[in-house]
């Protein structure tokens, strides 16, 4: 038995080493870096530049509320990214055409920012360029997520690609955050943004040689389209009249959502600070409605359509070719807006309820409490800004990368669902480390002292008190790294390659919902009961995700056993 276990470990390391040298894995790391860099620069570091300028007040900075909104609602334009080609660039590949274009736009926007000194006179063009960078960055995120699903194979597995993507993303967060601040202190902000913009332009240029996703994902879909000249109008498909009703309802809901978000963005660009809406209030009030309009109700419509197909009602008895350009336009829109949902629900069935519940709860512990991290460190625990920067940004990012690497290994060694379950459990229980800090940190200090960590921190210039904060942050970030690697791999595994952009964007957007809604209640609880009770509560809430992971694990194991396989193929989930 020992020899078998040793051989299995060798096989795991051999497969991992082979995958890490794969060309796709290298580009996944590069694309992860490209996704994380603009996010750090436009949602964090940019505010430091505005503050240093001395001319922009906090009220005027509210104009940048639209920047975060681009990431929050990026799924709204994901159907276009799945179905529309950029003129003249289609030969680059279905995904690469959008990835490279977005990266070049980000580079151009960041570079252009370096030539503008932020002031009350230039804030309009400044915010416009920042908004363009954010929009292109959010677009890039959608397509990179789809590219990851499309190019995954037996060597560069979806699990490994998901881990490598997050490692690149976190490294970029360090470069665009801490390193950018370090450079700004020694040079100036225009130099920083010029350098970062040039770096993005180089990434965009290198992206031209990335593997083509068409080879694995889009070719099959294109072959199907060519083999079936009637497309959605062949025998056995939903009647065009019924599809038109479904498309009309879904189209109206998506149109309302796009219009609502668009109006908010335009109002956010107002030169009058008093006329600008509050982004936090908008996301907390309108965010759930947008998700209901674009995800929940369309999913119910899609489920009804799937039911019609399974019952054999309202189906075409014979092919009915499109008679006009309007018919063809309806087919195209139906493919973009409705088919991704019918495909997902058709494969998952009632298990879609489990998937949505898991998506809503898996990252809830860090999503909700993350907004209160700095008030906890600086206000409650009375650490200095420098101490928090060292513990959270430098040491914390290092611990997170270790967690991601561990998550990647566990995905290969013990499987996706066990890693997902362990990630949920440890991400939940590490909230108890912060509960200890809220009570004085006696346990964390004892652990740091007995492991020699306190001595190391003191030797490097810190004090004994800092060691317990760093110990807690290390524990949480390693757990979050494992959970993050597993969660991205899981989401990537349940979407289909033909509709990966829309399906992944829709599912990942749901993680925003509970975190946003819960922050207000959590803030009130902190005011009334203190941080200790909050950390106990978030630990208990995290256990819901653990239970759901076990249920989903059992479901997938049952389906795999029924099909005669151990686990679903990467990129797909067997139908219920």
């Amino acid at each position: 038995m020992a020899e078998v276990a040793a051989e299995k470990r060798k096989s795991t390391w051999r497969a991992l080493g082979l995958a890490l040298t794969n060309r796709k894995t290298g580009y996944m790391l590069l694309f992860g870096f490209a996704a994380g860099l603009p996010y750090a620069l436009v949602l964090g570091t940019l505010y430091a530049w505005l503050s240093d300028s001395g001319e922009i007040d906090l009220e005027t900075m509210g104009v940048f509320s639209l920047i975060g909104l681009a990431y929050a609602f990026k799924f709204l334009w994901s159907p276009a990214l799945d179905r529309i080609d950029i003129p003249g660039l289609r030969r680059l590949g279905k995904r690469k055409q959008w990835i490279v274009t977005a990266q070049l736009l980000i580079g151009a926007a960041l570079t252009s920012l370096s030539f503008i000194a932020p002031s009350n006179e230039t804030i309009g063009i400044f915010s416009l360029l920042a908004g363009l960078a954010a929009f292109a960055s959010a677009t890039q995120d959608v397509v990179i997520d789809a590219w990851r699903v499309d190019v995954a194979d037996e060597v560069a597995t979806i699990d490994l690609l998901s881990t490598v993507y997050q490692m690149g993303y976190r490294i970029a967060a360090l470069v665009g955050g801490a390193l950018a601040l370090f450079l700004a202190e020694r040079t100036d902000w225009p130099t920083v943004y010029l350098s970062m913009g040039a770096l993005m332009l180089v990434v965009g240029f290198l992206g031209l040689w990335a593997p083509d996703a068409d080879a694995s994902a889009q070719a099959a879909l294109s072959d199907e389209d060519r083999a079936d000249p009637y497309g959605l109008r062949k025998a056995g498909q939903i009647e065009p009249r019924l599809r038109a009703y479904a498309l009309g309802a879904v189209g109206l809901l998506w149109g309302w959502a796009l219009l609502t978000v668009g109006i908010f963005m335009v109002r956010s660009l107002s030169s009058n600070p008093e006329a600008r809406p509050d982004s936090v209030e908008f996301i907390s009030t309108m965010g759930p409605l947008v998700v209901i309009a674009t995800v929940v109700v369309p999913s119910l419509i899609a489920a009804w359509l799937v039911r019609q197909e399974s019952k054999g009602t309202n189906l075409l008895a014979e092919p009915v070719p499109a008679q006009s350009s309007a018919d063809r336009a309806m087919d195209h829109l139906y493919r973009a807006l409705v088919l991704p949902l019918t495909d997902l629900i058709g494969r998952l069935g009632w298990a879609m309820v489990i998937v949505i519940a898991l998506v809503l709860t898996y990252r809830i512990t860090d999503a909700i409490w993350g907004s209160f991290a700095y008030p906890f460190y600086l206000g409650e625990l009375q650490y200095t800004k420098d101490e928090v920067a060292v513990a959270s940004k430098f040491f914390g990012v290092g611990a997170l990368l270790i967690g991601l690497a561990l998550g990647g290994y566990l995905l290969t060694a013990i499987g996706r669902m066990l890693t997902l379950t362990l990630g949920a459990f440890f991400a939940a229980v590490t909230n108890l480390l912060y509960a200890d800090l809220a009570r004085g940190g006696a346990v964390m200090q004892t652990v740091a002292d007995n492991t020699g960590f306190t001595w190391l921190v003191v030797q490097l210039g810190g004090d004994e008190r800092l060691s317990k904060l760093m110990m807690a942050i290390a524990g949480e970030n390693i757990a979050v790294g494992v959970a993050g690697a597993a969660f991205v791999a899981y989401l990537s595994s349940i979407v289909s390659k033909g509709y990966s952009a829309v399906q992944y964007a829709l599912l990942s957007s749901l993680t925003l919902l509970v975190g946003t809604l819960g922050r207000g209640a959590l803030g009130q609880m902190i005011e009334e009961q203190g941080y200790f009770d909050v950390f106990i509560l978030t630990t208990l809430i995290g256990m819901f995700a653990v239970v759901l992971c076990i249920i989903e694990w059992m479901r997938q194991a049952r389906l795999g056993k029924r099909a005669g396989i151990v686990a679903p193929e990467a990129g797909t989930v067997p139908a219920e």
Side-chain angles (χ1 to χ4, degrees):
M1 291 296 292
E3 293 180 358
V4 174
E7 185 60 32
K8 183 178 180 180
R9 284 195 297 271
K10 288 181 181 179
S11 177
T12 298
W13 284 111
R14 194 179 303 116
L16 190 60
L18 180 63
L20 288 173
T21 60
N22 188 278
R23 180 164 165 253
K24 294 176 181 178
T25 309
Y27 268 100
M28 190 75 269
L29 183 66
L30 183 69
F31 287 165
F33 182 86
L37 187 63
Y39 186 89
L41 290 171
V42 300
L43 280 187
T45 309
L46 194 64
Y47 289 94
W49 185 5
L50 295 175
S51 298
D52 280 354
S53 71
E55 296 190 32
I56 309 298
D57 56 35
L58 291 175
E59 201 171 28
T60 304
M61 288 185 193
V63 73
F64 290 92
S65 58
L66 76 132
I67 292 177
L69 204 66
Y71 293 95
F73 296 108
K74 60 188 178 184
F75 66 92
L76 289 176
W77 56 91
S78 60
L81 305 178
D82 238 352
R83 304 300 303 177
I84 296 177
D85 296 323
I86 302 175
L89 297 182
R90 179 61 180 84
R91 64 181 182 276
L92 291 178
K94 186 71 177 178
R95 307 302 183 191
K96 278 170 55 181
Q97 61 177 332
W98 286 105
I99 293 175
V100 171
T101 301
Q103 289 171 349
L104 294 178
L105 278 175
I106 295 166
L110 294 177
T111 302
S112 300
L113 281 173
S114 70
F115 295 101
I116 302 174
S119 65
N120 288 321
E121 290 74 27
T122 61
I123 191 65
I125 184 64
F126 199 87
S127 62
L128 183 63
L129 288 171
L132 175 63
F135 180 80
S137 176
T139 299
Q140 174 192 225
D141 289 354
V142 173
V143 190
I144 287 176
D145 288 333
W147 182 88
R148 180 177 63 248
V149 174
D150 291 351
V151 302
D153 55 28
E154 299 80 11
V155 178
T157 64
I158 194 66
D159 296 338
L160 183 65
L161 290 178
S162 300
T163 302
V164 170
Y165 167 80
Q166 287 214 56
M167 294 185 73
Y169 195 98
R170 300 301 178 178
I171 293 172
L174 188 61
V175 172
L179 181 60
L181 292 171
F182 179 83
L183 292 176
E185 189 69 26
R186 285 151 183 80
T187 57
D188 54 45
W189 284 111
T191 300
V192 171
Y193 274 78
L194 181 62
S195 302
M196 298 296 175
L199 184 58
M200 281 301 304
L201 291 174
V202 171
V203 171
F205 179 74
L206 293 175
L208 292 171
W209 286 273
D212 191 350
D214 289 1
S216 58
Q218 297 300 324
L221 187 62
S222 298
D223 289 341
E224 180 184 342
D225 290 341
R226 285 193 295 268
D228 175 25
Y230 298 113
L232 295 167
R233 297 172 177 270
K234 65 182 181 181
Q237 294 290 314
I238 296 289
E239 290 181 355
R241 176 182 54 82
L242 200 61
R243 288 196 294 107
Y245 292 149
L247 177 61
V250 174
L252 283 175
L253 291 169
W254 277 72
W256 170 82
L258 282 168
L259 185 63
T260 300
V261 174
I263 290 174
F264 175 82
M265 288 185 172
V266 171
R267 291 180 60 201
S268 296
L269 288 170
S270 171
S271 58
N272 179 10
E274 296 182 358
R276 297 173 192 147
D278 187 300
S279 62
V280 176
E281 181 182 356
F282 177 83
I283 292 179
S284 62
T285 56
M286 299 305 298
L289 294 179
V290 170
V291 172
I292 290 171
T294 55
V295 180
V296 178
V297 176
S299 294
L300 293 174
I301 294 173
W304 182 75
L305 291 171
V306 170
R307 180 65 174 169
Q308 296 301 303
E309 285 188 289
S310 64
K311 291 169 59 179
T313 56
N314 294 309
L315 304 182
L316 289 173
E318 58 184 26
V320 179
Q323 301 296 322
S324 64
S325 57
D327 289 343
R328 288 184 286 272
M330 187 192 77
D331 291 348
H332 189 77
L333 290 172
Y334 188 85
R335 284 184 181 276
L337 291 178
V338 183
L339 275 190
L341 286 172
T342 58
D343 169 81
L344 195 61
I345 292 173
R347 287 184 294 108
L348 295 176
W350 284 105
M352 187 70 179
V353 176
I354 300 173
V355 171
I356 290 178
L358 180 56
V359 168
L360 286 172
T361 59
Y362 192 81
R363 301 303 300 271
I364 190 173
T365 52
D366 52 298
I368 293 181
W369 121 258
S371 298
F372 302 98
Y374 284 117
F376 178 63
Y377 299 149
L378 299 172
E380 181 77 7
L381 302 182
Q382 295 294 303
Y383 285 100
T384 67
K385 292 179 181 178
D386 286 344
E387 288 174 330
V388 172
V390 170
S392 179
K393 294 298 182 184
F394 288 98
F395 182 76
V397 170
L400 188 61
L401 291 175
I402 291 174
L404 287 169
L406 177 60
Y409 172 75
L410 291 176
L411 285 167
T412 304
I414 64 176
R416 183 184 304 142
M417 293 310 300
L418 179 54
T419 304
L420 188 75
T421 306
L422 290 175
F425 176 77
F426 287 119
V429 298
T430 49
N431 279 265
L432 298 177
L433 305 182
Y434 290 104
D436 175 64
L437 290 181
R439 286 287 179 91
V443 175
M444 286 293 93
Q445 192 67 66
T446 300
V447 173
D449 292 344
N450 291 336
T451 57
F453 186 71
T454 300
W455 176 87
L456 180 61
V457 171
V458 171
Q459 296 303 308
L460 294 175
D463 59 23
E464 293 184 2
R465 183 169 166 270
L466 181 61
S467 63
K468 61 184 178 183
L469 175 64
M470 295 176 71
M471 183 64 68
I473 288 176
E476 186 208 25
N477 282 12
I478 290 174
V480 167
V482 173
F487 187 59
V488 173
Y490 170 71
L491 283 186
S492 301
S493 73
I494 62 176
V495 303
S496 62
K497 293 188 174 184
Y499 308 103
S500 50
V502 179
Q503 290 177 355
Y504 191 95
L506 286 173
L507 289 173
S508 61
S509 70
L510 294 177
T511 60
L512 171 73
L513 182 60
V514 173
T516 300
L517 294 178
R519 284 171 194 153
L522 197 68
Q524 183 178 354
M525 184 177 177
I526 290 172
E527 290 287 337
E528 296 176 354
Q529 298 177 238
Y531 281 96
F532 178 83
D533 289 344
V534 166
F535 289 125
I536 299 300
L537 176 63
T538 53
T539 299
L540 295 175
I541 292 174
M543 292 303 163
F544 282 106
V546 177
V547 173
L548 288 168
C549 283
I550 293 173
I551 293 173
E552 173 66 357
W553 187 5
M554 293 171 60
R555 184 189 73 84
Q556 291 199 16
R558 186 177 73 253
L559 292 176
K561 184 176 181 180
R562 185 187 304 166
I565 56 177
V566 176
E569 180 186 354
T572 61
V573 169
E576 185 69 276

